[in-house]
Amino acid sequence: VPHRPALPEGERRRVMSATLAPLSIAPRTSSRGLSRRSGVGAARRRRGDLGRNDAKSSPSESSLNNKEKKVRRRREEADAVEAAWREGGGLLDGADEESVVRTVRGTVQVARHYEQLIEQQVFNLAKYGEGEVLPETHKDPVWVAQRLCMLQKLTNVPPQHVPDMVGQSGAGVLSLTPASVLRSMLAVKDLVPNGDASHMVRVEPDLLLTDTTHLAYSGGDVMRTLREMPMPEPCVRLLVTEEPGLLLGKGGLVRMEQVRDQVEEHRENLRAICEGVPDDGWLDVRAQRWFTNFFCGYY
């Protein structure tokens, strides 16, 4: 090990004093201001951020105006639809508020549905060059109200249920004419004497869309088949009234076989509830409830 020469005494003291002097570390200042560890600065920054976020999330005056215009337009549309129903005689002055609201709302929903459907049909026609496009009138809620009002007056279906008939059977309901509706109603009444034809077409609007000649033949076959079963006439008419789709062959042979099996199983009960009831009469409320619970489950 090489030998270091000893320092003079005065030089040794200076080196030791410099080595043992306390270290002082000054905080590093940032050019952006206070350090991130400073709570005051962070609090100020957070308050500033909240202010900017509030400014961004607060709705602008233009968006509020657009919402108000949209609400006003919907209100005016509803008023126009209600006026069309009242002018056509579909809504009487004594109609309760709930039925009026349901009628207007259902009518507007029908028009909006066909507005979206027409847009899709136009797109498909432009892209693929095929398909049909419904008339523009189908998306006009006032025009829809006029068509439904005519249908309500001729069928006597409660107005709040008429828009649902379009939802069940499609746009063909809006294309019905007064003459075709009357022919269909007469055909239904011929098949089911003393039956509630209004209830039947409400439950099964396809009765209004079927050719009356076809309805007379197919419905007549169904009535003959049911009358050949050991089921009294009041029960036959009640069954068809509650399941008017039977007149159109809905359910097919499977449904007819189900009815046949039920008749065989409840033959004695059917005879009991129809005792004293003429063929052109109707069962009482209690007997109707029992019959519909056991026999009418199609709808």
Side-chain angles (χ1 to χ4, degrees):
V1 179
H3 176 71
R4 290 185 178 181
L7 295 174
E9 185 65 25
E11 188 70 20
R12 185 184 304 172
R13 287 195 187 98
R14 285 195 301 269
V15 172
M16 291 181 64
S17 61
T19 305
L20 297 177
L23 297 176
S24 61
I25 302 176
R28 182 179 179 182
T29 60
S30 174
S31 61
R32 299 181 181 179
L34 296 174
S35 63
R36 295 184 178 181
R37 297 181 181 180
S38 176
V40 177
R44 290 178 179 175
R45 184 170 58 255
R46 286 194 293 270
R47 286 196 293 269
D49 291 343
L50 288 175
R52 287 192 294 271
N53 291 336
D54 291 342
K56 292 180 180 179
S57 61
S58 60
S60 62
E61 185 177 355
S62 60
S63 63
L64 290 176
N65 292 335
N66 292 334
K67 289 182 179 179
E68 291 178 357
K69 290 179 181 178
K70 188 175 182 179
V71 172
R72 189 184 308 113
R73 185 169 57 251
R74 288 186 176 180
R75 188 183 301 113
E76 293 174 352
E77 182 182 61
D79 292 341
V81 169
E82 181 179 351
W85 270 96
R86 293 191 182 278
E87 290 175 2
L91 280 176
L92 301 179
D93 294 336
D96 60 282
E97 183 178 358
E98 182 181 357
S99 63
V100 173
V101 171
R102 290 179 58 186
T103 303
V104 173
R105 184 181 302 166
T107 304
V108 173
Q109 288 176 351
V110 170
R112 289 179 181 171
H113 166 75
Y114 284 111
E115 181 179 5
Q116 298 175 359
L117 180 61
I118 289 173
E119 291 179 358
Q120 185 64 39
Q121 290 175 338
V122 171
F123 173 81
N124 293 337
L125 182 61
K127 184 175 182 179
Y128 304 108
E130 59 182 10
E132 297 181 356
V133 178
L134 290 172
E136 293 289 321
T137 52
H138 284 62
K139 64 182 184 181
D140 181 8
V142 175
W143 180 86
V144 173
Q146 293 170 350
R147 304 303 301 172
L148 297 182
C149 183
M150 178 273 296
L151 185 62
Q152 189 277 330
K153 290 176 62 179
L154 296 178
T155 60
N156 203 28
V157 174
Q160 63 268 26
H161 297 302
V162 178
D164 297 335
M165 298 170 64
V166 182
Q168 295 181 45
S169 298
V173 175
L174 298 175
S175 301
L176 292 170
T177 63
S180 65
V181 174
L182 288 175
R183 286 195 299 267
S184 298
M185 294 295 290
L186 291 175
V188 171
K189 291 181 178 180
D190 288 340
L191 289 171
V192 188
N194 297 332
D196 189 353
S198 298
H199 171 78
M200 295 174 67
V201 297
R202 179 180 73 84
V203 175
E204 188 56 75
D206 287 349
L207 290 171
L208 301 173
L209 302 176
T210 304
D211 180 73
T212 53
T213 303
H214 174 74
L215 177 61
Y217 279 107
S218 63
D221 290 339
V222 170
M223 296 299 291
R224 283 189 293 271
T225 302
L226 293 175
R227 284 167 177 153
E228 290 174 356
M229 301 178 186
M231 181 166 52
E233 178 66 18
C235 295
V236 172
R237 289 189 285 109
L238 180 58
L239 175 63
V240 177
T241 300
E242 295 299 324
E243 289 193 29
L246 292 173
L247 299 176
L248 302 176
K250 294 189 175 182
L253 295 176
V254 175
R255 178 58 183 149
M256 296 303 292
E257 289 300 322
Q258 290 176 349
V259 174
R260 192 185 304 275
D261 293 340
Q262 289 174 310
V263 170
E264 292 294 337
E265 180 180 358
H266 300 284
R267 177 183 296 191
E268 296 300 326
N269 292 330
L270 293 176
R271 184 181 299 110
I273 64 175
C274 292
E275 184 176 359
V277 180
D279 288 345
D280 59 349
W282 288 94
L283 303 175
D284 57 32
V285 176
R286 185 177 180 181
Q288 288 186 22
R289 186 180 299 113
W290 177 87
F291 183 84
T292 53
N293 288 339
F294 279 93
F295 284 84
C296 306
Y298 182 76
Y299 289 93

